[in-house]
Amino acid sequence: MKRAVLLDGAVGTSLWELADRAGINRDPVWKYNMEHPELVQELHRQMIEAGAEIILANTFGANEPMVKRCSSYTVEEVVKKGVELAKMAAEGTGVKVAVSCGPLSELLEPFGDLEEEEAERIFRNQIGSGIEAGADLVMIQTFIDLEMMKIAAKVAKSYAVPVFCTLSFEKVGKTMMGQSVEQVCRELEALGVDGVGMNCSLGPEYALPVIEEFSRQTKLPLVFKPNAGMPGQTTDPESFAKIVAPAAEFVSYVGGCCNCNADYVKALKKYL
């Protein structure tokens, strides 16, 4: 049986950890691409040395509304720089680089004011910039609304690269918008995505039943990146890896999300 591909850990919390050590302010982490690229490259190097075979470019929250609100940069500048930094760190290693795309802060109509056409334009700007910079694949992650994810997935599928989609779930096994694993799998399969799964929101012990439900609902490759734990109850790397390791029997890609630094990736590699 082919073993699971090892993904990296958290980009955001890990960059803040490095920033704290360097005495640098905790800004929106995509700003570090432009203002502290040495931090970003250091993180990528740590993840690669720990064993990650796919790393996420530091582009998760670099969408137009956020970039405009917090800086004078353009999305194209921030995203392309993020992908370039990741590719420089991965050069000669065989490690692949994903352009990371997170959800928008506004809700789609009718729950909010965001129109589908505007969301599509924003996602195309972000994802397209990453593809232009040479990203090997697209990782659409941490979404709580399947409808918004479908817009991003359709955009990503218009490019000739693999597209992976992971949502965040509550303990009850549904997204915050009430969508089930079964619904997620059915509707994303119809779009032709290359892998589905869950990330963030839950620590490993609560996330495991959710990814197990994915294995019952789809034959698509599964992606599994739980948090290190709940706020104030972070699981140590060894314990995290022990809990997550059984999922490697049925998932294709496994890594960590919030508060999972390179030590967590290293621990997972030992079990894989």
Side-chain angles (χ1 to χ4, degrees):
M1 181 175 67
K2 186 181 183 298
R3 69 166 180 82
V5 172
L6 185 56
L7 304 175
D8 61 2
V11 174
T13 57
S14 298
L15 278 173
W16 275 341
E17 190 178 310
L18 292 177
D20 289 346
R21 292 178 189 169
I24 294 169
N25 290 337
R26 287 193 172 198
D27 291 325
V29 292
W30 49 262
K31 275 190 173 184
Y32 297 155
N33 292 344
M34 311 302 293
E35 298 170 7
H36 297 286
E38 72 285 354
L39 287 185
V40 181
Q41 282 211 294
E42 174 60 23
L43 175 63
H44 292 323
R45 282 194 293 267
Q46 287 182 5
M47 295 295 183
I48 292 170
E49 288 170 4
E53 297 164 273
I54 297 175
I55 58 173
L56 297 175
N58 181 30
T59 58
F60 174 78
N63 56 66
E64 185 179 286
M66 187 61 69
V67 172
K68 276 188 173 181
R69 188 181 309 138
C70 301
S71 76
S72 59
Y73 304 118
T74 66
V75 170
E76 292 85 356
E77 288 174 327
V78 173
V79 172
K80 287 182 178 181
K81 185 66 172 181
V83 172
E84 288 167 6
L85 290 170
K87 289 181 71 69
M88 286 169 61
E91 188 174 2
T93 66
V95 169
K96 302 297 184 184
V97 172
V99 57
S100 171
C101 176
L104 305 178
S105 57
E106 282 190 77
L107 294 177
L108 286 168
E109 295 178 332
F111 303 104
D113 297 326
L114 182 62
E115 297 178 351
E116 181 176 338
E117 293 78 11
E118 176 66 2
E120 179 181 345
R121 185 191 66 78
I122 293 169
F123 285 132
R124 188 168 297 282
N125 190 13
Q126 182 181 9
I127 294 170
S129 295
I131 299 301
E132 285 180 23
D136 301 297
L137 63 146
V138 181
M139 188 73 77
I140 304 169
Q141 57 175 359
T142 326
F143 279 58
I144 59 170
D145 180 13
L146 176 60
E147 295 307 311
M148 183 179 285
M149 171 160 273
K150 285 161 59 178
I151 296 171
K154 287 175 186 176
V155 169
K157 285 299 295 180
S158 69
Y159 301 98
V161 298
V163 177
F164 299 94
C165 296
T166 62
L167 293 96
S168 295
F169 288 81
E170 304 292 303
K171 291 180 184 178
V172 295
K174 292 186 176 182
T175 69
M176 193 176 291
M177 300 296 282
Q179 293 133 347
S180 67
V181 172
E182 179 185 10
Q183 181 184 357
V184 165
C185 292
R186 181 177 66 250
E187 298 191 23
L188 290 178
E189 277 184 14
L191 295 181
V193 303
D194 300 277
V196 295
M198 71 88 60
N199 79 295
C200 204
S201 65
L202 299 173
E205 66 276 17
Y206 294 112
L208 201 55
V210 177
I211 201 66
E212 287 172 345
E213 179 64 13
F214 268 94
S215 71
R216 291 187 284 268
Q217 297 294 341
T218 184
K219 297 298 183 184
L220 282 174
L222 299 183
V223 184
F224 188 39
K225 290 191 78 176
N227 285 345
M230 305 305 287
Q233 297 177 319
T234 304
T235 307
D236 65 90
E238 187 73 13
S239 300
F240 175 87
K242 282 183 180 178
I243 298 169
V244 172
E249 295 181 8
F250 59 88
V251 305
S252 298
Y253 304 89
V254 61
C257 203
C258 294
N259 294 311
C260 288
N261 60 22
D263 291 337
Y264 287 78
V265 178
K266 193 178 299 183
L268 274 175
K269 183 182 180 182
K270 183 173 70 173
Y271 283 91
L272 295 181

